[in-house]
Amino acid sequence: MRFYIILLLGLTLVSCNDESKLEEEIAKIEVDFVVERFDKTFLDAEPKDLPKLKEGYPFLFSKHTPDSIWINRLSDTLHNEILEEVNKTFDDFKDTKEELIGLFQHIKYYDKVFSVPRVVTLTNYVQYRDKVIVTDSIALIALDNYLGRDHRFYVDGGIPDYLAKNFNKEQIVVDLADGFGQKYVYQSNRKTLLDEMIYFGKLLYFKDVMIPFKTDAEKIGYSEEQIKWAEVNESPIWSYFIEEELLYSSDSKLSSRFIANAPFSKFYRAFDNESPGKLGQYIGWQIVKAYADITDEDVMAILQKEPGEIFNKSKFKPKK
């Protein structure tokens, strides 16, 4: 018994040492970009500056929107109030930029042709479904969605707390990682609950690799209490999915019960209100991690695998 404990400790130390060396190598990758604060620029702009703004940020100005709309927005009380609140919260962007550097370094390590995008911050009247937008060349960050869960914009605006709890600056790099992950993930089907579980499990595993400096709770948008609940109840959650024969079901209601962001998951049991939402995503994450541990495949290859292959080869067993 003592021999096996010593062997296990030795393997753990070797693994930790390998991970440390990898992170040291990744940290040496050069990443050069400027965070363009369009929000600050717009706050200080005057009508005469509009042509210059349109020239510098053509992707932010629709050709179908007349200049008069933008000129009116320059003096709009609500819009300026939002900009001022953003400016107070994000007067210093240094910590967030450091996290963005870490994300881009990791992506560059695993994708040799990755080009660091143009990073632009702006506001969007708290349209939280579009907190970030990622393209091949641009990453847009709507900062009015990251002012802190108790900000009056969210409280007075009636935004549910299960959403607002992630409206903080620490989630910016998590949301961007999710946006980039969606560009890399592929699978031909997303029809069954298992398909959806694996899809979101891939995105969460992508975050494991690309933003290892973030906690598991931050990656999935849970509180520490919620991630502990999921970990402790992993086995009964899995048993429920198996016993109810849900994995291969294409019932559209399953997505809202176990995949979508929600205040809690819907098992239709007494403990529902104690559970966090997205538990299907959480279990899918564990399946993908189990597959990665067994196959030792590159993250980019894993993102392209079909759900059936990942599930079958993962030999997933929940924590007891």
Side-chain angles (χ1 to χ4, degrees):
M1 182 67 177
R2 184 181 177 187
F3 168 78
Y4 287 113
I5 292 174
I6 293 173
L7 178 61
L8 182 60
L9 287 172
L11 291 173
T12 301
L13 288 172
V14 169
S15 177
C16 290
N17 189 45
D18 288 344
E19 288 179 8
S20 178
K21 287 181 179 178
L22 174 61
E23 289 304 314
E24 288 177 6
E25 184 178 349
I26 291 174
K28 295 176 183 177
I29 296 174
E30 290 189 12
V31 170
D32 185 26
F33 69 98
V34 175
V35 177
E36 300 178 51
R37 295 295 302 272
F38 178 80
D39 51 293
K40 280 190 173 186
T41 301
F42 199 84
L43 178 62
D44 298 330
E46 298 177 5
K48 64 182 178 61
D49 300 318
L50 188 59
K52 187 175 181 180
L53 288 176
K54 293 174 70 173
E55 181 181 355
Y57 301 91
F59 46 86
L60 296 181
F61 294 88
S62 170
K63 294 179 179 179
H64 303 292
T65 303
D67 287 355
S68 59
I69 298 294
W70 292 104
I71 291 172
N72 289 336
R73 190 171 293 181
L74 287 170
S75 58
D76 179 70
T77 303
L78 175 59
H79 190 241
N80 286 336
E81 184 181 1
I82 291 173
L83 289 170
E84 288 168 0
E85 288 297 304
V86 165
N87 195 35
K88 282 193 292 186
T89 303
F90 292 96
D91 182 50
D92 182 357
F93 210 73
K94 181 179 179 182
D95 291 343
T96 303
K97 184 178 180 181
E98 285 299 315
E99 293 192 334
L100 297 183
I101 289 172
L103 168 64
F104 295 150
Q105 286 174 324
H106 282 79
I107 297 179
K108 284 191 75 171
Y109 179 84
Y110 290 98
D111 177 7
K112 304 306 181 186
V113 300
F114 174 74
S115 296
V116 176
R118 186 177 175 183
V119 179
V120 180
T121 64
L122 67 158
T123 60
N124 70 352
Y125 289 100
V126 195
Q127 296 180 36
Y128 56 83
R129 290 180 179 83
D130 297 313
K131 291 194 286 185
V132 300
I133 295 176
V134 173
T135 72
D136 290 336
S137 58
I138 300 170
L140 302 180
I141 308 169
L143 294 182
D144 49 333
N145 296 280
Y146 299 100
L147 300 176
R149 71 186 296 171
D150 297 321
H151 194 280
R152 57 188 169 84
F153 288 167
Y154 314 143
V155 176
D156 296 345
I159 295 176
D161 187 63
Y162 77 90
L163 295 174
K165 68 184 175 66
N166 286 309
F167 288 11
N168 57 73
K169 62 175 66 177
E170 289 75 21
Q171 289 298 116
I172 290 176
V173 74
V174 176
D175 290 340
L176 274 178
D178 192 82
F180 282 105
Q182 291 178 42
K183 293 173 62 62
Y184 288 110
V185 169
Y186 170 79
Q187 59 187 54
S188 57
N189 288 314
R190 290 178 59 185
K191 296 179 180 178
T192 67
L193 178 62
L194 181 63
D195 290 341
E196 288 290 90
M197 289 166 60
I198 298 297
Y199 175 82
F200 285 98
K202 289 177 182 179
L203 289 176
L204 287 160
Y205 180 67
F206 180 82
K207 295 177 190 177
D208 283 335
V209 177
M210 303 303 172
I211 48 173
F213 45 85
K214 285 297 186 180
T215 66
D216 283 354
E218 288 173 320
K219 292 169 194 170
I220 195 171
Y222 282 174
S223 65
E224 287 299 328
E225 291 75 19
Q226 287 176 321
I227 196 74
K228 287 176 184 175
W229 194 99
E231 290 168 352
V232 169
N233 291 280
E234 192 172 304
S235 184
I237 294 167
W238 182 246
S239 295
Y240 178 87
F241 288 165
I242 298 300
E243 291 166 5
E244 298 294 320
E245 300 181 347
L246 300 182
L247 292 184
Y248 298 101
S249 171
S250 57
D251 183 349
S252 60
K253 294 179 181 177
L254 292 175
S255 183
S256 63
R257 289 173 61 190
F258 301 113
I259 299 296
N261 198 359
F264 53 85
S265 294
K266 298 181 180 69
F267 297 89
Y268 305 132
R269 299 288 190 270
F271 59 78
D272 277 10
N273 287 337
E274 301 173 11
S275 71
K278 302 186 289 188
L279 283 173
Q281 292 192 31
Y282 173 83
I283 296 295
W285 187 11
Q286 309 317 306
I287 293 171
V288 175
K289 285 199 286 189
Y291 176 87
D293 289 342
I294 284 178
T295 64
D296 201 30
E297 287 184 10
D298 177 84
V299 58
M300 295 303 183
I302 293 174
L303 299 182
Q304 300 291 310
K305 297 292 183 181
E306 293 295 342
E309 181 178 354
I310 288 178
F311 178 57
N312 292 331
K313 290 185 178 179
S314 72
K315 303 186 186 303
F316 172 70
K317 292 182 179 179
K319 298 172 187 174
K320 298 289 186 180

